[in-house]
Amino acid sequence: MRLIFLGPPGVGKGTQAKRICEHYNIIHLSTGDILRSEMTEKTEIGEKAKAFIDAGELVPDDVLLGMMNNRLKKDDVQSGYLLDGFPRTIPQADGLNKIMDDLSHSLNCALSLTADADELVQRLINRGKESGRSDDTPDIIRQRQKIYWKQTAPLLDFYREKKLLKEVDGIGKISEITDRILEVLK
Ligand code: AMP
């Protein structure tokens, strides 16, 4: 099973991704988590990414594509994965297609979790009080939402045209949303 999770910041992609990965016994690849750990370890990628992440901007496509090209070749992901937070732009989606073609990996589904924008900003402001994430402040949260609608939302049509898009309502109890996702993936 190979999946992409799409959806605006704060919709619960990470939470649902973990549950879906447990269900299918596949690897959860969150580019946000990978980039944050690169920053903590002060690697070359981490140093390149830091200013973009702190400003709520997207890290350049070539950095993401290089990083994911290496990651998707590793043994642990050969039987399946869920991409959480990647791709986020059309060039990343084109690049991912090529990476997957080269590995003879086919995509089962791009799953979009949907929710009302105002509710998400409030959720993220609350999360920011606990997460300690440098990009969970109100201004940066609004910036990340804006970038999602401008740069990432076009991916919905990209995958819809390929007949790979499934949309699921992301508002409700965590377990109910998981059930909705599992239902559309059947
Ligand atoms: P996330 O944890 O998915 O919200 O990602 C946190 C931040 O990491 C984003 O606001 C971006 O700065 C950066 N990031 C994560 N994934 C990507 C991606 N696919 N392309 C560009 N930047 C990304």
Side-chain angles (χ1 to χ4, degrees):
M1 179 68 94
R2 297 184 197 90
L3 304 170
I4 291 173
F5 262 28
L6 296 167
V11 76
K13 285 193 298 294
T15 305
Q16 293 300 329
K18 288 195 185 80
R19 297 168 67 92
I20 299 302
C21 285
E22 258 168 43
H23 181 90
Y24 288 109
N25 198 17
I26 55 177
I27 302 274
H28 177 203
L29 294 176
S30 152
T31 46
D33 286 349
I34 299 172
L35 289 168
R36 279 185 289 277
S37 96
E38 299 274 349
M39 280 189 345
T40 309
E41 289 166 28
K42 297 201 179 343
T43 64
E44 200 183 323
I45 291 179
E47 297 290 295
K48 274 191 201 155
K50 188 174 184 336
F52 296 99
I53 292 182
D54 286 347
E57 305 277 345
L58 294 185
V59 177
D61 292 334
D62 60 329
V63 176
L64 267 294
L65 284 167
M67 187 174 98
M68 294 310 278
N69 187 30
N70 290 334
R71 186 64 187 89
L72 292 175
K73 285 184 187 147
K74 299 258 164 74
D75 286 345
D76 63 335
V77 298
Q78 297 318 306
S79 55
Y81 46 84
L82 186 163
L83 303 178
D84 166 10
F86 175 83
R88 259 185 162 90
T89 64
I90 295 282
Q92 287 183 20
D94 283 330
L96 175 64
N97 264 351
K98 180 158 187 320
I99 293 170
M100 290 181 72
D101 277 352
D102 289 348
L103 292 165
S104 304
H105 289 177
S106 61
L107 182 67
N108 294 85
C109 175
L111 191 128
S112 164
L113 274 182
T114 60
D116 175 73
D118 290 338
E119 169 144 358
L120 295 181
V121 171
Q122 200 47 51
R123 265 201 216 177
L124 281 171
I125 290 173
N126 292 339
R127 179 176 86 181
K129 291 176 190 151
E130 288 154 28
S131 74
R133 265 179 62 162
S134 55
D135 58 351
D136 271 348
T137 61
D139 283 354
I140 302 297
I141 287 167
R142 285 194 191 91
Q143 171 67 4
R144 284 160 53 215
Q145 296 284 338
K146 214 165 85 192
I147 298 241
Y148 175 81
W149 292 109
K150 194 161 149 217
Q151 292 185 268
T152 307
L155 295 185
L156 300 175
D157 278 339
F158 180 95
Y159 288 111
R160 193 176 284 121
E161 277 163 24
K162 294 184 190 296
K163 308 239 180 303
L164 286 168
L165 186 76
K166 298 255 163 72
E167 292 181 279
V168 168
D169 179 2
I171 298 293
K173 277 205 197 127
I174 290 176
S175 61
E176 282 168 9
I177 301 167
T178 308
D179 290 344
R180 284 178 209 150
I181 296 173
L182 292 174
E183 188 60 35
V184 303
L185 291 177
K186 259 189 199 157

